[in-house]
Amino acid sequence: MSRKFDIIIVGAGASGLTAAIQAARKGAEVLILEHMDKAGKKILATGNGKCNFTNEKQGIAYYNGKNPAFVLPVLEQFGLHETLQFFEELGIYPRNKRDGYYYPASGQASSILQVLLMECRRLHVRIAYHVGIRQIQKEAEGFSFYTKQGVFYSKFCILATGGKTAKKTGSDGSGNQYIVNFGHKLTDIVPALVQMQGKQSFLTEIAGIRAQGSIQLYIEHEKIAEDIGELQLTEFGISGIPAFQVSRHASYGLLYGKQVRAALNFLPEFSNEEVNTLLKQRFLVNGSGKNAAQALIGLFPQKLNNVLLKEAQLSPEKLAQNCTQKEIHALAQRIQTLWVDIIGTKGFENAQVTAGGVDTQEINPRTMESLLVPGLYFAGEVVDIDGLCGGYNLQWAWSSGFTAGNAAASAKNISD
C-alpha cells in the first residue's frame, strides 16, 4: 500500500465514511485508518438494528452542545434533502415510519453500512483495519501518522474518531489524545441518551412497567428539560426515549455535583383539576364496594397503582367512598408528580451518544476545519454536538462528514 495520500481520515464510522466518499468524489486519494477489525460497527447498532438514519424535523432545537447553532451552516450544506438523495443514489429506499423518523426500507442497519462501503470501493477509498495510531504529527507539508504498521503521510487529516460510547464498537475516546496534542480544548464529556439511576426504593416495586407519561428534569430545583412518551421503569431507575432525551442534562448535573431530580407525570394530558375530577368520579361516585386500590384498576398498571397510593400515604384497603378530598388531592399530585432522585446513569457503555467533545469555538462551521491547525478537520461525535433520539446523531455524522470531506478535498484541489 502507498504511504502517501491526499487525505487520511481517522475512524471508519458514519462520519468518516461519508467524509471519505465526498472527498474521493472530488478527486482526492483517501485512506481511512480504523483501529477495529471492521468499519461502521456503531451504525449496525443504531435504531435497534434498523437504523433510524435521519428525521424530517430539523433545527437547533434537536441538537445540543455549548453552541447548538454551530450545526446550522453544516446542515445548510448537507441537510435532510441532501441526505435522502445521497442514500437513494447509493440504493437506500427511505421510509418515513413515524413522527418524521426515516429508516431504510429493508429495515436493516446493515444496508446503510453496505452501501457506504460499496461506494468507498467504487471510489477506490482505502481502509486499513487494526491500525493502532501512536502519534499524529503536523508537518510543514501535511501530517505524519505513526502507527504499529509504519508511518503514513497526508496533506490533510480528518479526525472522525467518535466519542466514548459503546467501546466494543470502537467508540472508546481514544482519539481525544490526538485532539489535545494538537492544542484543542475538549468540553466536558458525559454519556447522553442513556438510562438514569434513581434512589427511591419503590423502583424495585414498579420494575418492568411501561407507561405513557412525561418526565421533567430538575437540577437544583430548576426545570432544565422535559419530554413525553413511553416511560420504562426499571429496578435501577428510568429508561425509555423520554428519559434518554433529558439524560445529557442529568449527566452534566451529576458531574458538577448538583442535585438532580426527575418528576414523572402519568397523566400529562390532564390539568391538575381534571385529575382531581377524574379521581373523585372513580372514588366517590363509582367507588361503591371498592377499596382505593380497586378504584384505580384500569387507570394504570397495578404495580404502579400500589406505589402511587403508598407515596400519597393512602391505604390501598381504605374504602374508596370514605377517602377525603385531601387524600384524593394528594393522590392526584403523586400521579402527576412522582419524584425520583437521580443518583447516576448507566454510563458510557450503555449510552447511545457522547455529549461534549472538541470545542466548537475552535472549528470553522462552514468547513469543519480547525481554527488552530490548518489542514486538520473534525467530523461526527468527536465534536461538541449531540442530538436527540430520532436520527439526529446520524444526521450530524452525515452532515459534518460531508462538510469536512468536501472542504478538505477542495483545499487539496486549490493547493494542487
Side-chain angles (χ1 to χ4, degrees):
M1 180 192 296
S2 169
R3 296 283 172 170
K4 294 185 178 181
F5 295 83
D6 296 321
I7 299 170
I8 289 182
I9 299 169
V10 184
S15 62
L17 292 171
T18 309
I21 288 169
Q22 179 57 21
R25 285 179 174 181
K26 297 198 72 169
E29 188 178 4
V30 181
L31 169 68
I32 303 177
L33 301 179
E34 170 57 49
H35 67 168
M36 300 297 285
D37 60 339
K38 294 179 181 178
K41 285 192 172 185
K42 196 170 181 182
I43 295 174
L44 297 177
T46 58
N48 293 320
K50 296 180 180 179
C51 200
N52 168 208
F53 69 96
T54 189
N55 198 301
E56 68 181 13
K57 301 174 184 177
Q58 293 292 331
I60 297 177
Y62 302 101
Y63 296 91
N64 296 297
K66 284 176 66 177
N67 178 25
F70 182 86
V71 304
L72 294 180
V74 179
L75 291 174
E76 285 174 7
Q77 296 176 65
F78 197 84
L80 172 65
H81 173 74
E82 290 79 11
T83 298
L84 294 176
Q85 183 177 10
F86 174 76
F87 280 106
E88 284 185 42
E89 290 173 354
L90 295 183
I92 296 297
Y93 181 76
R95 279 189 176 164
N96 188 333
K97 287 198 172 181
R98 61 177 179 84
D99 199 28
Y101 288 42
Y102 278 98
Y103 294 82
S106 66
Q108 295 179 311
S110 57
S111 298
I112 295 285
L113 178 57
Q114 286 173 334
V115 297
L116 290 170
L117 292 175
M118 284 193 294
E119 183 67 357
C120 282
R121 287 192 292 270
R122 186 184 74 83
L123 295 167
H124 306 293
V125 171
R126 303 293 294 271
I127 305 178
Y129 297 104
H130 289 297
V131 176
I133 300 175
R134 294 192 174 102
Q135 182 184 4
I136 306 174
Q137 189 170 317
K138 181 71 169 72
E139 312 284 2
E141 298 299 321
F143 297 83
S144 296
F145 298 77
Y146 295 88
T147 78
K148 296 177 182 179
Q149 289 78 9
V151 184
F152 297 89
Y153 307 91
S154 68
K155 294 180 181 178
F156 303 96
C157 169
I158 299 176
L159 291 180
T161 51
K164 290 186 67 175
T165 55
K167 183 177 179 180
K168 62 185 178 183
T169 68
S171 181
D172 58 6
S174 59
N176 291 342
Q177 190 57 52
Y178 314 139
I179 295 162
V180 173
N181 290 344
F182 280 122
H184 274 276
K185 289 184 295 186
L186 294 171
T187 63
D188 290 330
I189 293 172
V190 297
L193 302 186
V194 65
Q195 307 94 328
M196 296 182 292
Q197 295 176 305
K199 179 181 179 180
Q200 276 68 18
S201 59
F202 64 66
L203 289 167
T204 57
E205 300 175 49
I206 54 178
I209 285 177
R210 293 172 179 251
Q212 290 298 314
S214 69
I215 181 170
Q216 295 180 330
L217 192 80
Y218 289 79
I219 297 180
E220 299 290 348
H221 309 295
E222 178 185 357
K223 187 171 74 173
I224 300 297
E226 61 184 317
D227 202 68
I228 189 168
E230 185 182 73
L231 298 168
Q232 297 178 24
L233 306 174
T234 72
E235 71 280 358
F236 61 78
I238 316 166
S239 186
I241 290 179
F244 286 178
Q245 303 288 43
V246 304
S247 62
R248 76 178 310 276
H249 303 286
S251 291
Y252 278 117
L254 293 167
L255 178 67
Y256 303 143
K258 297 183 178 181
Q259 181 192 50
V260 181
R261 303 184 81 199
L264 307 184
N265 184 346
F266 296 100
L267 287 176
E269 68 275 23
F270 284 63
S271 68
N272 298 130
E273 184 178 344
E274 287 171 334
V275 176
N276 271 285
T277 300
L278 174 67
L279 292 179
K280 288 175 185 177
Q281 184 73 25
R282 297 180 76 95
F283 278 66
L284 305 182
V285 178
N286 299 325
S288 178
K290 299 177 182 178
N291 60 30
Q294 292 167 336
L296 285 178
I297 291 174
L299 190 57
F300 306 112
Q302 192 60 41
K303 289 194 294 184
L304 179 57
N305 289 341
N306 294 338
V307 166
L308 292 171
L309 289 167
K310 180 179 177 182
E311 291 299 303
Q313 298 182 340
L314 177 55
S315 170
E317 301 302 324
K318 184 170 184 176
L319 290 177
Q321 286 186 320
N322 291 342
C323 291
T324 66
Q325 297 273 4
K326 184 177 178 180
E327 288 173 323
I328 289 175
H329 179 67
L331 178 59
Q333 285 187 311
R334 293 291 75 76
I335 288 171
Q336 292 201 297
T337 310
L338 182 64
W339 287 104
V340 178
D341 294 304
I342 304 302
I343 58 174
T345 72
K346 294 297 281 183
F348 286 110
E349 194 54 40
N350 292 286
Q352 293 183 17
V353 70
T354 301
V358 184
D359 194 327
T360 52
Q361 290 184 331
E362 300 175 347
I363 304 173
N364 183 336
R366 300 207 167 272
T367 62
M368 296 304 294
E369 185 177 14
S370 165
L371 296 175
L372 308 181
V373 183
L376 175 66
Y377 298 79
F378 301 99
E381 195 176 345
V382 75
V383 178
D384 178 27
I385 291 292
D386 59 285
L388 298 180
C389 284
Y392 296 104
N393 289 292
L394 277 179
Q395 180 63 66
W396 171 244
W398 316 133
S399 298
S400 59
F402 171 89
T403 302
N406 189 62
S410 297
K412 173 260 176 188
N413 292 336
I414 293 172
S415 67
D416 288 348

